[in-house]
Amino acid sequence: DRNFKAVVGGTDEGVSRLSVIATPDISRTLLTTKHRVLLLTCSDFGTLSDEKVAEVLSRRRGRPRLACGALLQEAQRREVVRGSLAALCVFLDWNAEEEHVIEPAAKKSRGESAAHGKASQVRCRQILVKHKDCKEPVDKVRGNRLVTRSLAEAERILLETLEAIETSPGSSIFTQRCKAVSECSTCLKGGEMAGDLGWMTRGQYHPALEAAAFALPVGHVSDIVESDEGVHVLWRIA
């Protein structure tokens, strides 16, 4: 509910100024280890069946931004939208700390820190899609073309890209999509090196990009990651 009330004694040239007071409905739910995901949506999502929502969330386990985008597309595809849509998704991993503690020691790779058992370097390939509000909205790969798409449109491109990668896993489809849509100059690298960022060290990239890269297991593809350069998808290769 939104209650619009005139500010007491507040007028501009005889016109009352209005304030918006949000009064949300509040409920409490006790989360237990049986819960795997917390999903908050607007009422329009109620027309999607629980089975469909579960299917979308299961396929995108651990990638909340991708899961929200997929749910938005599903709702739009079914023409259930009466207004704007919003969704917030949080995946819960109750055993993350325990699993980390009991994991047996393994031979350290090139980028692994002996002191902490954590990677000091990772290697990723990326697909970058810019939008009009990013730091430099110019596609230098395709003749310095001005980027006019919105953030939502950029995310939609990456959502379609990730769906293609999931349907046909392997380096070839990643390479194809990278060369087709990425607006990072690394997409011009030859063969299976398209999108290769080289060895990444901490403090070298945008914090959101760095956090995603170092959290990825080798061989895994990230969620959609937003930075001041645009939106990214990362594939950790080493």
Side-chain angles (χ1 to χ4, degrees):
D1 296 331
R2 291 182 173 83
N3 299 317
F4 292 83
K5 298 182 179 179
V7 177
V8 177
T11 58
D12 290 326
E13 299 181 355
V15 179
S16 297
R17 291 185 289 111
L18 300 179
S19 63
V20 181
I21 303 174
T23 310
D25 293 331
I26 298 175
S27 61
R28 295 182 179 180
T29 301
L30 177 63
L31 297 178
T32 70
T33 54
K34 293 181 179 180
H35 292 94
R36 295 299 179 213
V37 60
L38 173 64
L39 177 66
L40 303 177
T41 67
C42 59
S43 58
D44 277 345
F45 282 95
T47 55
L48 295 179
S49 67
D50 291 344
E51 292 76 13
K52 187 60 184 180
V53 172
E55 177 191 337
V56 171
L57 295 179
S58 178
R59 286 183 58 195
R60 291 154 182 86
R61 173 74 181 167
R63 291 184 283 180
R65 193 159 184 161
L66 178 58
C68 287
L71 284 172
L72 290 172
Q73 279 201 341
E74 188 63 33
Q76 291 168 342
R77 187 179 299 120
R78 293 172 179 243
E79 298 181 348
V80 301
V81 183
R82 293 187 295 272
S84 60
L85 290 174
L88 173 65
C89 178
V90 179
F91 288 99
L92 307 173
D93 188 356
W94 299 96
N95 298 316
E97 291 186 6
E98 290 81 351
E99 289 176 357
H100 178 73
V101 171
I102 64 175
E103 184 176 350
K107 183 178 179 180
K108 294 179 174 56
S109 63
R110 166 183 169 177
E112 192 171 347
S113 166
H116 304 288
K118 295 182 179 179
S120 59
Q121 291 182 314
V122 296
R123 191 163 187 169
C124 294
R125 295 171 66 182
Q126 80 155 347
I127 296 173
L128 166 67
V129 179
K130 298 183 177 183
H131 55 84
K132 63 183 180 180
D133 297 316
C134 70
K135 179 175 65 175
E136 191 176 9
V138 176
D139 182 0
K140 294 184 178 180
V141 176
R142 299 167 183 84
N144 292 320
R145 183 179 61 190
L146 182 66
V147 175
T148 59
R149 71 174 69 90
S150 66
L151 172 60
E153 290 170 330
E155 287 196 38
R156 190 175 302 115
I157 292 171
L158 284 187
L159 178 59
E160 293 170 354
T161 294
L162 284 166
E163 288 179 344
I165 293 171
E166 289 176 348
T167 303
S168 303
S171 60
S172 60
I173 188 65
F174 188 96
T175 299
Q176 292 170 16
R177 297 301 298 174
C178 180
K179 289 183 177 295
V181 305
S182 184
E183 291 164 334
C184 173
S185 59
T186 58
C187 75
L188 299 175
K189 293 184 178 182
E192 298 303 312
M193 299 304 292
D196 183 21
L197 295 172
W199 286 99
M200 303 170 62
T201 58
R202 296 183 186 276
Q204 183 180 2
Y205 288 87
H206 187 280
L209 205 63
E210 177 183 301
F214 280 87
L216 273 179
V218 175
H220 285 233
V221 177
S222 74
D223 194 3
I224 295 173
V225 182
E226 182 179 356
S227 77
D228 55 359
E229 294 182 350
V231 285
H232 314 245
V233 164
L234 299 175
W235 177 24
R236 183 175 171 187
I237 58 176

PDB file of all heavy atoms in Angstrom, residues 72-101:
ATOM      1  N   LEU A  72      11.540 -13.899 -14.962  1.00  0.00           N
ATOM      2  CA  LEU A  72      10.928 -12.738 -15.613  1.00  0.00           C
ATOM      3  C   LEU A  72      10.558 -13.065 -17.058  1.00  0.00           C
ATOM      4  O   LEU A  72       9.464 -12.738 -17.523  1.00  0.00           O
ATOM      5  CB  LEU A  72      11.891 -11.552 -15.571  1.00  0.00           C
ATOM      6  CG  LEU A  72      12.146 -10.915 -14.207  1.00  0.00           C
ATOM      7  CD1 LEU A  72      13.267  -9.892 -14.304  1.00  0.00           C
ATOM      8  CD2 LEU A  72      10.892 -10.273 -13.652  1.00  0.00           C
ATOM      9  N   GLN A  73      11.469 -13.731 -17.760  1.00  0.00           N
ATOM     10  CA  GLN A  73      11.182 -14.097 -19.147  1.00  0.00           C
ATOM     11  C   GLN A  73      10.027 -15.081 -19.237  1.00  0.00           C
ATOM     12  O   GLN A  73       9.195 -14.990 -20.145  1.00  0.00           O
ATOM     13  CB  GLN A  73      12.433 -14.697 -19.793  1.00  0.00           C
ATOM     14  CG  GLN A  73      13.427 -13.671 -20.286  1.00  0.00           C
ATOM     15  CD  GLN A  73      14.367 -14.229 -21.338  1.00  0.00           C
ATOM     16  OE1 GLN A  73      14.534 -15.428 -21.478  1.00  0.00           O
ATOM     17  NE2 GLN A  73      15.010 -13.347 -22.070  1.00  0.00           N
ATOM     18  N   GLU A  74       9.975 -16.018 -18.310  1.00  0.00           N
ATOM     19  CA  GLU A  74       8.895 -17.003 -18.321  1.00  0.00           C
ATOM     20  C   GLU A  74       7.544 -16.325 -18.101  1.00  0.00           C
ATOM     21  O   GLU A  74       6.551 -16.650 -18.757  1.00  0.00           O
ATOM     22  CB  GLU A  74       9.141 -18.055 -17.242  1.00  0.00           C
ATOM     23  CG  GLU A  74       8.191 -19.236 -17.287  1.00  0.00           C
ATOM     24  CD  GLU A  74       8.314 -20.045 -18.558  1.00  0.00           C
ATOM     25  OE1 GLU A  74       9.434 -20.151 -19.104  1.00  0.00           O
ATOM     26  OE2 GLU A  74       7.274 -20.578 -19.014  1.00  0.00           O
ATOM     27  N   ALA A  75       7.503 -15.381 -17.173  1.00  0.00           N
ATOM     28  CA  ALA A  75       6.253 -14.659 -16.914  1.00  0.00           C
ATOM     29  C   ALA A  75       5.832 -13.839 -18.135  1.00  0.00           C
ATOM     30  O   ALA A  75       4.656 -13.801 -18.498  1.00  0.00           O
ATOM     31  CB  ALA A  75       6.426 -13.753 -15.696  1.00  0.00           C
ATOM     32  N   GLN A  76       6.805 -13.194 -18.782  1.00  0.00           N
ATOM     33  CA  GLN A  76       6.501 -12.406 -19.972  1.00  0.00           C
ATOM     34  C   GLN A  76       6.066 -13.298 -21.139  1.00  0.00           C
ATOM     35  O   GLN A  76       5.174 -12.951 -21.902  1.00  0.00           O
ATOM     36  CB  GLN A  76       7.724 -11.574 -20.361  1.00  0.00           C
ATOM     37  CG  GLN A  76       8.033 -10.466 -19.369  1.00  0.00           C
ATOM     38  CD  GLN A  76       9.394  -9.834 -19.587  1.00  0.00           C
ATOM     39  OE1 GLN A  76      10.248 -10.407 -20.252  1.00  0.00           O
ATOM     40  NE2 GLN A  76       9.599  -8.666 -19.012  1.00  0.00           N
ATOM     41  N   ARG A  77       6.684 -14.466 -21.248  1.00  0.00           N
ATOM     42  CA  ARG A  77       6.345 -15.403 -22.322  1.00  0.00           C
ATOM     43  C   ARG A  77       4.897 -15.875 -22.186  1.00  0.00           C
ATOM     44  O   ARG A  77       4.215 -16.105 -23.182  1.00  0.00           O
ATOM     45  CB  ARG A  77       7.305 -16.581 -22.283  1.00  0.00           C
ATOM     46  CG  ARG A  77       7.162 -17.550 -23.455  1.00  0.00           C
ATOM     47  CD  ARG A  77       8.167 -18.670 -23.365  1.00  0.00           C
ATOM     48  NE  ARG A  77       9.538 -18.178 -23.396  1.00  0.00           N
ATOM     49  CZ  ARG A  77      10.432 -18.367 -22.437  1.00  0.00           C
ATOM     50  NH1 ARG A  77      10.103 -19.037 -21.342  1.00  0.00           N
ATOM     51  NH2 ARG A  77      11.655 -17.894 -22.551  1.00  0.00           N
ATOM     52  N   ARG A  78       4.438 -16.024 -20.954  1.00  0.00           N
ATOM     53  CA  ARG A  78       3.067 -16.509 -20.720  1.00  0.00           C
ATOM     54  C   ARG A  78       2.057 -15.376 -20.678  1.00  0.00           C
ATOM     55  O   ARG A  78       0.887 -15.599 -20.376  1.00  0.00           O
ATOM     56  CB  ARG A  78       3.030 -17.299 -19.409  1.00  0.00           C
ATOM     57  CG  ARG A  78       3.834 -18.594 -19.477  1.00  0.00           C
ATOM     58  CD  ARG A  78       3.942 -19.255 -18.117  1.00  0.00           C
ATOM     59  NE  ARG A  78       4.700 -20.499 -18.202  1.00  0.00           N
ATOM     60  CZ  ARG A  78       4.204 -21.701 -17.930  1.00  0.00           C
ATOM     61  NH1 ARG A  78       2.938 -21.830 -17.565  1.00  0.00           N
ATOM     62  NH2 ARG A  78       4.953 -22.777 -18.022  1.00  0.00           N
ATOM     63  N   GLU A  79       2.526 -14.158 -20.901  1.00  0.00           N
ATOM     64  CA  GLU A  79       1.658 -12.981 -20.962  1.00  0.00           C
ATOM     65  C   GLU A  79       0.825 -12.836 -19.691  1.00  0.00           C
ATOM     66  O   GLU A  79      -0.380 -12.568 -19.730  1.00  0.00           O
ATOM     67  CB  GLU A  79       0.736 -13.052 -22.187  1.00  0.00           C
ATOM     68  CG  GLU A  79       1.504 -13.075 -23.503  1.00  0.00           C
ATOM     69  CD  GLU A  79       0.588 -13.119 -24.703  1.00  0.00           C
ATOM     70  OE1 GLU A  79      -0.615 -13.352 -24.504  1.00  0.00           O
ATOM     71  OE2 GLU A  79       1.070 -12.916 -25.817  1.00  0.00           O
ATOM     72  N   VAL A  80       1.504 -13.003 -18.551  1.00  0.00           N
ATOM     73  CA  VAL A  80       0.798 -12.844 -17.281  1.00  0.00           C
ATOM     74  C   VAL A  80       1.073 -11.471 -16.667  1.00  0.00           C
ATOM     75  O   VAL A  80       0.631 -11.177 -15.569  1.00  0.00           O
ATOM     76  CB  VAL A  80       1.236 -13.938 -16.273  1.00  0.00           C
ATOM     77  CG1 VAL A  80       0.951 -15.308 -16.821  1.00  0.00           C
ATOM     78  CG2 VAL A  80       2.721 -13.794 -15.926  1.00  0.00           C
ATOM     79  N   VAL A  81       1.779 -10.627 -17.387  1.00  0.00           N
ATOM     80  CA  VAL A  81       2.213  -9.359 -16.826  1.00  0.00           C
ATOM     81  C   VAL A  81       1.104  -8.314 -16.929  1.00  0.00           C
ATOM     82  O   VAL A  81       0.604  -8.035 -18.006  1.00  0.00           O
ATOM     83  CB  VAL A  81       3.474  -8.847 -17.563  1.00  0.00           C
ATOM     84  CG1 VAL A  81       3.963  -7.565 -16.923  1.00  0.00           C
ATOM     85  CG2 VAL A  81       4.552  -9.909 -17.559  1.00  0.00           C
ATOM     86  N   ARG A  82       0.757  -7.753 -15.810  1.00  0.00           N
ATOM     87  CA  ARG A  82      -0.216  -6.655 -15.797  1.00  0.00           C
ATOM     88  C   ARG A  82       0.465  -5.329 -15.468  1.00  0.00           C
ATOM     89  O   ARG A  82      -0.112  -4.281 -15.635  1.00  0.00           O
ATOM     90  CB  ARG A  82      -1.310  -6.954 -14.769  1.00  0.00           C
ATOM     91  CG  ARG A  82      -2.177  -8.140 -15.143  1.00  0.00           C
ATOM     92  CD  ARG A  82      -3.333  -8.278 -14.173  1.00  0.00           C
ATOM     93  NE  ARG A  82      -2.873  -8.591 -12.839  1.00  0.00           N
ATOM     94  CZ  ARG A  82      -2.666  -9.829 -12.402  1.00  0.00           C
ATOM     95  NH1 ARG A  82      -2.852 -10.865 -13.216  1.00  0.00           N
ATOM     96  NH2 ARG A  82      -2.252 -10.051 -11.168  1.00  0.00           N
ATOM     97  N   GLY A  83       1.659  -5.388 -14.970  1.00  0.00           N
ATOM     98  CA  GLY A  83       2.421  -4.180 -14.635  1.00  0.00           C
ATOM     99  C   GLY A  83       3.892  -4.517 -14.654  1.00  0.00           C
ATOM    100  O   GLY A  83       4.328  -5.402 -15.384  1.00  0.00           O
ATOM    101  N   SER A  84       4.661  -3.813 -13.861  1.00  0.00           N
ATOM    102  CA  SER A  84       6.091  -4.100 -13.790  1.00  0.00           C
ATOM    103  C   SER A  84       6.326  -5.364 -12.963  1.00  0.00           C
ATOM    104  O   SER A  84       5.514  -5.728 -12.109  1.00  0.00           O
ATOM    105  CB  SER A  84       6.836  -2.917 -13.158  1.00  0.00           C
ATOM    106  OG  SER A  84       6.353  -2.672 -11.843  1.00  0.00           O
ATOM    107  N   LEU A  85       7.441  -6.036 -13.243  1.00  0.00           N
ATOM    108  CA  LEU A  85       7.779  -7.280 -12.555  1.00  0.00           C
ATOM    109  C   LEU A  85       9.041  -7.092 -11.727  1.00  0.00           C
ATOM    110  O   LEU A  85       9.946  -6.354 -12.115  1.00  0.00           O
ATOM    111  CB  LEU A  85       8.012  -8.410 -13.556  1.00  0.00           C
ATOM    112  CG  LEU A  85       6.797  -8.939 -14.310  1.00  0.00           C
ATOM    113  CD1 LEU A  85       7.244  -9.949 -15.364  1.00  0.00           C
ATOM    114  CD2 LEU A  85       5.808  -9.592 -13.357  1.00  0.00           C
ATOM    115  N   ALA A  86       9.101  -7.788 -10.603  1.00  0.00           N
ATOM    116  CA  ALA A  86      10.301  -7.752  -9.768  1.00  0.00           C
ATOM    117  C   ALA A  86      10.468  -9.102  -9.082  1.00  0.00           C
ATOM    118  O   ALA A  86       9.487  -9.748  -8.701  1.00  0.00           O
ATOM    119  CB  ALA A  86      10.203  -6.638  -8.727  1.00  0.00           C
ATOM    120  N   ALA A  87      11.711  -9.528  -8.956  1.00  0.00           N
ATOM    121  CA  ALA A  87      11.999 -10.793  -8.273  1.00  0.00           C
ATOM    122  C   ALA A  87      13.343 -10.687  -7.584  1.00  0.00           C
ATOM    123  O   ALA A  87      14.268 -10.046  -8.081  1.00  0.00           O
ATOM    124  CB  ALA A  87      12.010 -11.952  -9.270  1.00  0.00           C
ATOM    125  N   LEU A  88      13.440 -11.316  -6.424  1.00  0.00           N
ATOM    126  CA  LEU A  88      14.690 -11.380  -5.670  1.00  0.00           C
ATOM    127  C   LEU A  88      14.905 -12.827  -5.248  1.00  0.00           C
ATOM    128  O   LEU A  88      14.016 -13.445  -4.662  1.00  0.00           O
ATOM    129  CB  LEU A  88      14.621 -10.480  -4.425  1.00  0.00           C
ATOM    130  CG  LEU A  88      15.803 -10.567  -3.449  1.00  0.00           C
ATOM    131  CD1 LEU A  88      17.073 -10.072  -4.125  1.00  0.00           C
ATOM    132  CD2 LEU A  88      15.520  -9.760  -2.189  1.00  0.00           C
ATOM    133  N   CYS A  89      16.077 -13.365  -5.574  1.00  0.00           N
ATOM    134  CA  CYS A  89      16.358 -14.778  -5.327  1.00  0.00           C
ATOM    135  C   CYS A  89      17.651 -14.913  -4.517  1.00  0.00           C
ATOM    136  O   CYS A  89      18.658 -14.282  -4.836  1.00  0.00           O
ATOM    137  CB  CYS A  89      16.476 -15.515  -6.665  1.00  0.00           C
ATOM    138  SG  CYS A  89      16.865 -17.258  -6.497  1.00  0.00           S
ATOM    139  N   VAL A  90      17.599 -15.747  -3.470  1.00  0.00           N
ATOM    140  CA  VAL A  90      18.784 -16.036  -2.650  1.00  0.00           C
ATOM    141  C   VAL A  90      18.895 -17.546  -2.519  1.00  0.00           C
ATOM    142  O   VAL A  90      17.978 -18.202  -2.009  1.00  0.00           O
ATOM    143  CB  VAL A  90      18.679 -15.403  -1.251  1.00  0.00           C
ATOM    144  CG1 VAL A  90      19.919 -15.748  -0.431  1.00  0.00           C
ATOM    145  CG2 VAL A  90      18.490 -13.895  -1.346  1.00  0.00           C
ATOM    146  N   PHE A  91      19.999 -18.114  -2.996  1.00  0.00           N
ATOM    147  CA  PHE A  91      20.247 -19.544  -2.817  1.00  0.00           C
ATOM    148  C   PHE A  91      20.966 -19.773  -1.493  1.00  0.00           C
ATOM    149  O   PHE A  91      21.909 -19.044  -1.164  1.00  0.00           O
ATOM    150  CB  PHE A  91      21.069 -20.100  -3.983  1.00  0.00           C
ATOM    151  CG  PHE A  91      20.302 -20.215  -5.262  1.00  0.00           C
ATOM    152  CD1 PHE A  91      20.426 -19.253  -6.241  1.00  0.00           C
ATOM    153  CD2 PHE A  91      19.439 -21.282  -5.473  1.00  0.00           C
ATOM    154  CE1 PHE A  91      19.709 -19.342  -7.419  1.00  0.00           C
ATOM    155  CE2 PHE A  91      18.710 -21.389  -6.646  1.00  0.00           C
ATOM    156  CZ  PHE A  91      18.847 -20.421  -7.625  1.00  0.00           C
ATOM    157  N   LEU A  92      20.525 -20.780  -0.760  1.00  0.00           N
ATOM    158  CA  LEU A  92      21.065 -21.053   0.578  1.00  0.00           C
ATOM    159  C   LEU A  92      21.955 -22.283   0.548  1.00  0.00           C
ATOM    160  O   LEU A  92      21.556 -23.331   0.053  1.00  0.00           O
ATOM    161  CB  LEU A  92      19.912 -21.266   1.570  1.00  0.00           C
ATOM    162  CG  LEU A  92      18.856 -20.144   1.608  1.00  0.00           C
ATOM    163  CD1 LEU A  92      17.694 -20.545   2.503  1.00  0.00           C
ATOM    164  CD2 LEU A  92      19.473 -18.838   2.088  1.00  0.00           C
ATOM    165  N   ASP A  93      23.152 -22.150   1.067  1.00  0.00           N
ATOM    166  CA  ASP A  93      24.097 -23.260   1.136  1.00  0.00           C
ATOM    167  C   ASP A  93      24.502 -23.423   2.600  1.00  0.00           C
ATOM    168  O   ASP A  93      25.459 -22.816   3.070  1.00  0.00           O
ATOM    169  CB  ASP A  93      25.315 -22.971   0.254  1.00  0.00           C
ATOM    170  CG  ASP A  93      26.237 -24.183   0.132  1.00  0.00           C
ATOM    171  OD1 ASP A  93      25.950 -25.198   0.786  1.00  0.00           O
ATOM    172  OD2 ASP A  93      27.235 -24.094  -0.609  1.00  0.00           O
ATOM    173  N   TRP A  94      23.763 -24.248   3.309  1.00  0.00           N
ATOM    174  CA  TRP A  94      23.946 -24.379   4.754  1.00  0.00           C
ATOM    175  C   TRP A  94      25.256 -25.065   5.120  1.00  0.00           C
ATOM    176  O   TRP A  94      25.791 -24.856   6.203  1.00  0.00           O
ATOM    177  CB  TRP A  94      22.780 -25.172   5.354  1.00  0.00           C
ATOM    178  CG  TRP A  94      21.455 -24.531   5.146  1.00  0.00           C
ATOM    179  CD1 TRP A  94      20.554 -24.801   4.149  1.00  0.00           C
ATOM    180  CD2 TRP A  94      20.862 -23.482   5.925  1.00  0.00           C
ATOM    181  NE1 TRP A  94      19.449 -24.006   4.266  1.00  0.00           N
ATOM    182  CE2 TRP A  94      19.599 -23.191   5.349  1.00  0.00           C
ATOM    183  CE3 TRP A  94      21.269 -22.780   7.061  1.00  0.00           C
ATOM    184  CZ2 TRP A  94      18.755 -22.220   5.874  1.00  0.00           C
ATOM    185  CZ3 TRP A  94      20.434 -21.816   7.587  1.00  0.00           C
ATOM    186  CH2 TRP A  94      19.192 -21.540   6.993  1.00  0.00           C
ATOM    187  N   ASN A  95      25.771 -25.887   4.228  1.00  0.00           N
ATOM    188  CA  ASN A  95      26.941 -26.699   4.578  1.00  0.00           C
ATOM    189  C   ASN A  95      28.235 -26.169   3.981  1.00  0.00           C
ATOM    190  O   ASN A  95      29.239 -26.871   3.966  1.00  0.00           O
ATOM    191  CB  ASN A  95      26.738 -28.148   4.087  1.00  0.00           C
ATOM    192  CG  ASN A  95      25.540 -28.794   4.743  1.00  0.00           C
ATOM    193  OD1 ASN A  95      25.349 -28.657   5.943  1.00  0.00           O
ATOM    194  ND2 ASN A  95      24.735 -29.483   3.947  1.00  0.00           N
ATOM    195  N   ALA A  96      28.224 -24.918   3.514  1.00  0.00           N
ATOM    196  CA  ALA A  96      29.407 -24.394   2.832  1.00  0.00           C
ATOM    197  C   ALA A  96      30.642 -24.431   3.720  1.00  0.00           C
ATOM    198  O   ALA A  96      31.710 -24.876   3.326  1.00  0.00           O
ATOM    199  CB  ALA A  96      29.145 -22.964   2.364  1.00  0.00           C
ATOM    200  N   GLU A  97      30.511 -23.981   4.977  1.00  0.00           N
ATOM    201  CA  GLU A  97      31.671 -23.921   5.862  1.00  0.00           C
ATOM    202  C   GLU A  97      32.149 -25.311   6.220  1.00  0.00           C
ATOM    203  O   GLU A  97      33.339 -25.603   6.219  1.00  0.00           O
ATOM    204  CB  GLU A  97      31.335 -23.135   7.127  1.00  0.00           C
ATOM    205  CG  GLU A  97      31.114 -21.648   6.859  1.00  0.00           C
ATOM    206  CD  GLU A  97      30.923 -20.877   8.145  1.00  0.00           C
ATOM    207  OE1 GLU A  97      31.071 -21.494   9.225  1.00  0.00           O
ATOM    208  OE2 GLU A  97      30.637 -19.670   8.086  1.00  0.00           O
ATOM    209  N   GLU A  98      31.197 -26.208   6.524  1.00  0.00           N
ATOM    210  CA  GLU A  98      31.580 -27.559   6.906  1.00  0.00           C
ATOM    211  C   GLU A  98      32.306 -28.266   5.769  1.00  0.00           C
ATOM    212  O   GLU A  98      33.299 -28.940   5.969  1.00  0.00           O
ATOM    213  CB  GLU A  98      30.346 -28.369   7.314  1.00  0.00           C
ATOM    214  CG  GLU A  98      29.722 -27.931   8.636  1.00  0.00           C
ATOM    215  CD  GLU A  98      28.828 -26.718   8.500  1.00  0.00           C
ATOM    216  OE1 GLU A  98      28.819 -26.097   7.406  1.00  0.00           O
ATOM    217  OE2 GLU A  98      28.153 -26.372   9.471  1.00  0.00           O
ATOM    218  N   GLU A  99      31.781 -28.085   4.539  1.00  0.00           N
ATOM    219  CA  GLU A  99      32.407 -28.736   3.394  1.00  0.00           C
ATOM    220  C   GLU A  99      33.816 -28.213   3.184  1.00  0.00           C
ATOM    221  O   GLU A  99      34.727 -28.937   2.832  1.00  0.00           O
ATOM    222  CB  GLU A  99      31.558 -28.495   2.143  1.00  0.00           C
ATOM    223  CG  GLU A  99      30.239 -29.270   2.162  1.00  0.00           C
ATOM    224  CD  GLU A  99      29.378 -28.939   0.965  1.00  0.00           C
ATOM    225  OE1 GLU A  99      29.801 -28.063   0.173  1.00  0.00           O
ATOM    226  OE2 GLU A  99      28.302 -29.526   0.820  1.00  0.00           O
ATOM    227  N   HIS A 100      33.999 -26.932   3.437  1.00  0.00           N
ATOM    228  CA  HIS A 100      35.322 -26.355   3.242  1.00  0.00           C
ATOM    229  C   HIS A 100      36.315 -26.928   4.261  1.00  0.00           C
ATOM    230  O   HIS A 100      37.469 -27.180   3.941  1.00  0.00           O
ATOM    231  CB  HIS A 100      35.245 -24.834   3.384  1.00  0.00           C
ATOM    232  CG  HIS A 100      36.575 -24.153   3.252  1.00  0.00           C
ATOM    233  ND1 HIS A 100      37.216 -24.023   2.046  1.00  0.00           N
ATOM    234  CD2 HIS A 100      37.396 -23.602   4.181  1.00  0.00           C
ATOM    235  CE1 HIS A 100      38.365 -23.395   2.222  1.00  0.00           C
ATOM    236  NE2 HIS A 100      38.495 -23.132   3.512  1.00  0.00           N
ATOM    237  N   VAL A 101      35.851 -27.135   5.472  1.00  0.00           N
ATOM    238  CA  VAL A 101      36.732 -27.610   6.534  1.00  0.00           C
ATOM    239  C   VAL A 101      37.177 -29.039   6.298  1.00  0.00           C
ATOM    240  O   VAL A 101      38.339 -29.382   6.484  1.00  0.00           O
ATOM    241  CB  VAL A 101      36.028 -27.491   7.906  1.00  0.00           C
ATOM    242  CG1 VAL A 101      36.845 -28.177   8.984  1.00  0.00           C
ATOM    243  CG2 VAL A 101      35.821 -26.031   8.262  1.00  0.00           C
TER     244      VAL A 101
END
